Amino acid sequence: MGMHTDTHIVWDWNGTLFHDVDAVIGATNAAFAELGLEPLTLERYRELYCVPVPKFYERLMGRLPSGAEWELMDATFHRYYSEHRVRCVLAEGATELLAQWSAAGRSQSILSMYGHDDLVPLVRGFGIEPHFIRVDGRTGPSGGGKAEHMVRHLGALTGVDPTRTVVIGDAADDALAARHVGAKAVLYTGGSHSRASLEAVGVPVVDTLAEAVAEAERLAG
C-alpha cells in the first residue's frame, strides 16, 4: 500500500465518538467521595479538567493525591464507569459521519486513553469497527497523556502521512498529541473541556462532529 493522499482522521473515543460525559462525571464524583471531596458539576469539571489526571485532582484538592489516594480514586472511577457506560451511546451523527468518510475511500482510526481490552469490544458492539483501519486503546497505567501513544499509533499505520492527518478529540491533550507528531487537530466541545479552555489551545473548536469533519477536510486540504 502506498502513501494515502487523502486526509486521515484519528478519532478520540471517550467524550468524542462516545458520548459518555454523564458516566465520567458520576465516576469522578464517586472517586472524590472516597476522600470526602464535594461533588463536581459538569461545568466545574469542564473548567478544571486536565491531564495527567493527578494534576486535575490537585486543582481540586489543593495538593497532589498520595500514591494510595490515587490508586483508590482511580480504581473507584473505573469501577463506577464500567457499571454506567452501558447506558451511554455514540455522539449525535457519529455513525453516519464514519460511514460517509469510509464510503469516500478515506481512512480513519481510533486512539483512546481508555484501556485497549475494554475499548475494542465496545467499538465492535456499536457495529462501527469496519470503518477503522486501526483501533488502539491505552496499554499501561492510566492517567497520563496521549503524545507517545500517538507516536506509536501513527507509526503502526501503513501509508498515513502525519501532515495529512487530523486528530479529532474533546481535550487539550488531543491537540498536544497531534502537535507532537506533526498532525493537525480539531477540538469538540461535547466532552471533557469547556469551550474557553479548548480555545486557549489555539486550534479550531467546534460544537458538533459534523463541523469537526468539515474542519478536518479544510485543514488537510
Side-chain angles (χ1 to χ4, degrees):
M1 182 184 294
M3 184 70 73
H4 294 294
T5 56
D6 275 331
T7 306
H8 176 81
I9 292 177
V10 177
W11 292 95
D12 176 54
W13 179 248
N14 303 94
T16 305
L17 287 175
F18 190 46
H19 185 66
D20 62 349
V21 67
D22 290 337
V24 168
I25 296 299
T28 300
N29 285 333
F32 287 174
E34 292 285 354
L35 299 187
L37 299 174
E38 290 296 315
L40 286 174
T41 63
L42 173 59
E43 291 72 24
R44 183 71 171 156
Y45 178 93
R46 284 176 164 165
E47 179 185 338
L48 295 175
Y49 181 74
C50 64
V51 295
V53 177
K55 186 72 176 177
F56 170 50
Y57 289 163
E58 181 184 25
R59 290 181 172 185
L60 294 153
M61 300 169 64
R63 61 176 176 81
L64 280 170
S66 69
E69 287 172 334
W70 163 251
E71 289 181 10
L72 174 63
M73 296 172 81
D74 191 48
T76 301
F77 177 95
H78 285 100
R79 183 174 64 250
Y80 183 102
Y81 180 83
S82 294
E83 293 170 0
H84 289 78
R85 74 177 189 192
V86 295
R87 293 195 292 271
C88 299
V89 297
L90 295 179
E92 182 178 355
T95 302
E96 294 78 13
L97 288 166
L98 295 172
Q100 289 165 8
W101 193 262
S102 292
R106 293 166 167 168
S107 62
Q108 54 196 329
S109 59
I110 291 177
L111 175 61
S112 173
M113 298 304 287
Y114 192 42
H116 183 78
D117 291 342
D118 293 314
L119 173 67
V120 172
L122 189 55
V123 172
R124 190 170 294 150
F126 281 108
I128 57 174
E129 187 183 25
H131 296 311
F132 305 107
I133 60 173
R134 190 174 181 89
V135 175
D136 280 334
R138 172 185 49 78
T139 56
S142 63
K146 190 178 266 189
E148 293 307 318
H149 293 270
M150 187 68 73
V151 172
R152 291 191 292 271
H153 180 73
L154 287 186
L157 299 179
T158 302
V160 170
D161 180 357
T163 67
R164 299 297 307 276
T165 296
V166 179
V167 177
I168 297 178
D170 69 310
D173 190 53
D174 291 301
L176 297 178
R179 190 174 300 158
H180 187 69
V181 295
K184 298 177 176 65
V186 179
L187 297 179
Y188 164 61
T189 60
S192 60
H193 281 35
S194 67
R195 172 174 272 278
S197 62
L198 293 178
E199 288 176 340
V201 180
V203 302
V205 177
V206 299
D207 297 318
T208 68
L209 294 188
E211 292 175 280
V213 170
E215 192 65 24
E217 292 186 272
R218 185 189 69 79
L219 285 173

